Amino acid sequence: KKSNLKHMKDKDEIIDKIISILDLENKNTYTLYELDKNEEIQKQIMDLIPEIRKWFSFNGIKAVGDPSKIKRPWLSIIKHLIKSKYNMESKDFQLTENGQHIRTHIYNFTQL
């Protein structure tokens, strides 16, 4: 029983790290465009892969098993891991930057 609790605690810590990398307590929306450009967030999430492999079954998370096969493994990790604490809703979104029209997605995070 005790190891099971530790296991849950370790999983929880990883999820909390992702929440903190995204700063979801202060910011609850991101556009895909913004995340695509934020290499710091991507890198920090990808750096968690060894830990994630240790505590999570990654059969359903290709991004963890074989990140090179996926266009945005970091996004897949976010989606899979935070769903126990946050609801992540995605909508089409359009923005203009430097006179350029950009179609992207906007993600809304709500705490469960």
Side-chain angles (χ1 to χ4, degrees):
K1 276 280 182 238
K2 201 171 172 188
S3 68
N4 208 359
L5 269 171
K6 169 146 178 39
H7 187 82
M8 283 174 67
K9 192 174 164 293
D10 289 317
K11 281 180 149 181
D12 228 39
E13 273 171 23
I14 294 171
I15 295 166
D16 288 341
K17 278 182 192 172
I18 293 172
I19 290 167
S20 127
I21 291 167
L22 291 168
D23 192 23
L24 292 181
E25 275 152 31
N26 301 303
K27 177 178 168 68
N28 61 0
T29 56
Y30 278 93
T31 64
L32 180 56
Y33 177 71
E34 175 185 7
L35 288 170
D36 272 341
K37 286 172 48 168
N38 192 326
E39 287 174 17
E40 189 51 37
I41 286 180
Q42 295 174 29
K43 181 189 177 318
Q44 288 181 38
I45 289 177
M46 294 304 285
D47 286 348
L48 292 174
I49 286 180
E51 272 185 88
I52 295 170
R53 284 186 175 145
K54 209 161 121 188
W55 301 113
F56 290 84
S57 143
F58 49 91
N59 297 340
I61 317 175
K62 257 203 191 81
V64 178
D66 196 349
S68 61
K69 283 210 164 106
I70 299 194
K71 186 176 178 189
R72 296 183 179 98
W74 45 269
L75 184 61
S76 172
I77 290 169
I78 293 170
K79 285 180 177 170
H80 274 85
L81 296 195
I82 68 162
K83 66 183 173 199
S84 63
K85 295 189 177 195
Y86 278 83
N87 186 17
M88 182 176 171
E89 201 182 320
S90 165
K91 293 188 182 119
D92 274 324
F93 189 71
Q94 300 186 17
L95 62 115
T96 307
E97 187 175 272
N98 304 327
Q100 197 183 6
H101 189 70
I102 297 156
R103 277 199 68 186
T104 185
H105 284 277
I106 190 160
Y107 299 106
N108 212 0
F109 296 88
T110 14
Q111 204 164 359
L112 298 174

CSV table of all heavy atoms in Angstrom, one decimal, residues 14 17 21 39-52 74 77:
chain,number,residue,atom,x,y,z
A,14,ILE,N,4.8,15.2,-11.0
A,14,ILE,CA,5.1,15.5,-12.4
A,14,ILE,C,4.0,16.3,-13.0
A,14,ILE,O,4.2,17.3,-13.7
A,14,ILE,CB,5.2,14.1,-13.1
A,14,ILE,CG1,6.5,13.4,-12.7
A,14,ILE,CG2,5.3,14.4,-14.6
A,14,ILE,CD1,6.6,12.0,-13.2
A,17,LYS,N,4.4,19.8,-11.9
A,17,LYS,CA,5.5,20.4,-12.6
A,17,LYS,C,5.0,21.0,-13.9
A,17,LYS,O,5.4,22.1,-14.3
A,17,LYS,CB,6.7,19.5,-12.9
A,17,LYS,CG,7.6,19.3,-11.7
A,17,LYS,CD,8.7,18.3,-12.1
A,17,LYS,CE,9.5,17.9,-10.8
A,17,LYS,NZ,10.5,16.8,-11.1
A,21,ILE,N,5.0,24.8,-15.1
A,21,ILE,CA,5.7,25.2,-16.3
A,21,ILE,C,4.8,26.1,-17.1
A,21,ILE,O,5.2,27.1,-17.7
A,21,ILE,CB,6.2,24.0,-17.2
A,21,ILE,CG1,7.3,23.2,-16.5
A,21,ILE,CG2,6.6,24.4,-18.6
A,21,ILE,CD1,7.6,21.9,-17.1
A,39,GLU,N,9.9,27.9,-27.0
A,39,GLU,CA,10.8,26.7,-26.9
A,39,GLU,C,11.1,26.4,-25.5
A,39,GLU,O,11.5,25.2,-25.2
A,39,GLU,CB,12.0,27.0,-27.8
A,39,GLU,CG,11.7,26.9,-29.2
A,39,GLU,CD,12.8,27.2,-30.1
A,39,GLU,OE1,14.0,27.3,-29.7
A,39,GLU,OE2,12.6,27.5,-31.3
A,40,GLU,N,11.1,27.4,-24.6
A,40,GLU,CA,11.4,27.1,-23.2
A,40,GLU,C,10.4,26.2,-22.6
A,40,GLU,O,10.7,25.2,-21.9
A,40,GLU,CB,11.4,28.5,-22.5
A,40,GLU,CG,11.9,28.4,-21.0
A,40,GLU,CD,13.3,27.7,-20.9
A,40,GLU,OE1,14.2,27.8,-21.8
A,40,GLU,OE2,13.4,27.0,-19.9
A,41,ILE,N,9.1,26.4,-22.8
A,41,ILE,CA,8.0,25.5,-22.3
A,41,ILE,C,8.2,24.1,-22.9
A,41,ILE,O,8.2,23.1,-22.2
A,41,ILE,CB,6.6,26.1,-22.6
A,41,ILE,CG1,6.3,27.3,-21.7
A,41,ILE,CG2,5.5,25.0,-22.5
A,41,ILE,CD1,4.9,27.9,-21.9
A,42,GLN,N,8.4,24.1,-24.2
A,42,GLN,CA,8.5,22.8,-24.9
A,42,GLN,C,9.7,22.0,-24.3
A,42,GLN,O,9.6,20.8,-24.0
A,42,GLN,CB,8.8,23.0,-26.4
A,42,GLN,CG,7.6,23.6,-27.1
A,42,GLN,CD,8.0,23.9,-28.6
A,42,GLN,OE1,8.8,23.2,-29.2
A,42,GLN,NE2,7.4,24.9,-29.1
A,43,LYS,N,10.8,22.7,-24.1
A,43,LYS,CA,12.0,22.0,-23.6
A,43,LYS,C,11.8,21.5,-22.2
A,43,LYS,O,12.1,20.3,-21.8
A,43,LYS,CB,13.2,23.0,-23.6
A,43,LYS,CG,14.5,22.3,-23.1
A,43,LYS,CD,15.6,23.3,-23.0
A,43,LYS,CE,16.9,22.7,-22.4
A,43,LYS,NZ,16.7,21.7,-21.3
A,44,GLN,N,11.2,22.3,-21.3
A,44,GLN,CA,11.0,21.9,-19.9
A,44,GLN,C,10.0,20.7,-19.9
A,44,GLN,O,10.2,19.8,-19.0
A,44,GLN,CB,10.4,23.1,-19.1
A,44,GLN,CG,11.4,24.2,-18.8
A,44,GLN,CD,10.7,25.3,-18.0
A,44,GLN,OE1,9.9,25.0,-17.1
A,44,GLN,NE2,11.1,26.5,-18.3
A,45,ILE,N,9.0,20.7,-20.7
A,45,ILE,CA,8.1,19.5,-20.7
A,45,ILE,C,8.8,18.3,-21.3
A,45,ILE,O,8.7,17.2,-20.7
A,45,ILE,CB,6.8,19.9,-21.5
A,45,ILE,CG1,6.0,20.8,-20.6
A,45,ILE,CG2,6.0,18.6,-21.8
A,45,ILE,CD1,4.8,21.4,-21.1
A,46,MET,N,9.6,18.4,-22.3
A,46,MET,CA,10.3,17.3,-22.9
A,46,MET,C,11.3,16.8,-21.9
A,46,MET,O,11.6,15.6,-21.9
A,46,MET,CB,11.0,17.7,-24.2
A,46,MET,CG,10.0,18.1,-25.4
A,46,MET,SD,8.8,16.8,-25.7
A,46,MET,CE,9.8,15.6,-26.6
A,47,ASP,N,11.9,17.6,-21.1
A,47,ASP,CA,12.9,17.2,-20.1
A,47,ASP,C,12.3,16.3,-19.0
A,47,ASP,O,13.0,15.6,-18.3
A,47,ASP,CB,13.5,18.4,-19.4
A,47,ASP,CG,14.5,19.1,-20.4
A,47,ASP,OD1,14.9,18.5,-21.4
A,47,ASP,OD2,15.0,20.2,-20.1
A,48,LEU,N,10.9,16.3,-18.9
A,48,LEU,CA,10.3,15.5,-17.9
A,48,LEU,C,10.1,14.0,-18.4
A,48,LEU,O,9.7,13.2,-17.6
A,48,LEU,CB,8.9,16.1,-17.6
A,48,LEU,CG,8.8,17.4,-16.9
A,48,LEU,CD1,7.4,17.9,-16.8
A,48,LEU,CD2,9.5,17.3,-15.5
A,49,ILE,N,10.3,13.8,-19.7
A,49,ILE,CA,10.0,12.5,-20.2
A,49,ILE,C,10.6,11.3,-19.4
A,49,ILE,O,10.0,10.3,-19.1
A,49,ILE,CB,10.4,12.4,-21.8
A,49,ILE,CG1,9.3,13.2,-22.5
A,49,ILE,CG2,10.5,10.9,-22.2
A,49,ILE,CD1,9.5,13.2,-24.0
A,50,PRO,N,11.9,11.4,-19.1
A,50,PRO,CA,12.5,10.3,-18.3
A,50,PRO,C,11.7,10.0,-17.0
A,50,PRO,O,11.4,8.8,-16.6
A,50,PRO,CB,13.9,10.7,-17.9
A,50,PRO,CG,14.2,11.7,-19.0
A,50,PRO,CD,12.9,12.4,-19.3
A,51,GLU,N,11.3,11.1,-16.3
A,51,GLU,CA,10.5,10.9,-15.1
A,51,GLU,C,9.1,10.4,-15.4
A,51,GLU,O,8.6,9.5,-14.7
A,51,GLU,CB,10.3,12.3,-14.4
A,51,GLU,CG,11.3,12.7,-13.5
A,51,GLU,CD,11.0,14.0,-12.8
A,51,GLU,OE1,10.3,14.0,-11.8
A,51,GLU,OE2,11.4,15.1,-13.3
A,52,ILE,N,8.5,10.9,-16.5
A,52,ILE,CA,7.2,10.4,-16.9
A,52,ILE,C,7.2,8.9,-17.2
A,52,ILE,O,6.4,8.1,-16.8
A,52,ILE,CB,6.6,11.2,-18.1
A,52,ILE,CG1,6.4,12.6,-17.8
A,52,ILE,CG2,5.3,10.6,-18.6
A,52,ILE,CD1,6.2,13.6,-18.9
A,74,TRP,N,5.3,17.5,-26.8
A,74,TRP,CA,5.1,18.2,-25.6
A,74,TRP,C,3.6,18.5,-25.4
A,74,TRP,O,3.1,18.5,-24.3
A,74,TRP,CB,5.9,19.5,-25.6
A,74,TRP,CG,5.9,20.2,-26.9
A,74,TRP,CD1,6.7,20.1,-28.0
A,74,TRP,CD2,4.9,21.2,-27.3
A,74,TRP,NE1,6.3,20.9,-29.0
A,74,TRP,CE2,5.2,21.6,-28.6
A,74,TRP,CE3,3.8,21.8,-26.7
A,74,TRP,CZ2,4.5,22.5,-29.3
A,74,TRP,CZ3,3.1,22.7,-27.4
A,74,TRP,CH2,3.4,23.1,-28.7
A,77,ILE,N,1.9,15.4,-24.2
A,77,ILE,CA,2.2,15.2,-22.8
A,77,ILE,C,1.3,16.1,-21.9
A,77,ILE,O,0.7,15.6,-21.0
A,77,ILE,CB,3.7,15.4,-22.5
A,77,ILE,CG1,4.5,14.3,-23.2
A,77,ILE,CG2,4.0,15.5,-21.0
A,77,ILE,CD1,6.0,14.5,-23.2
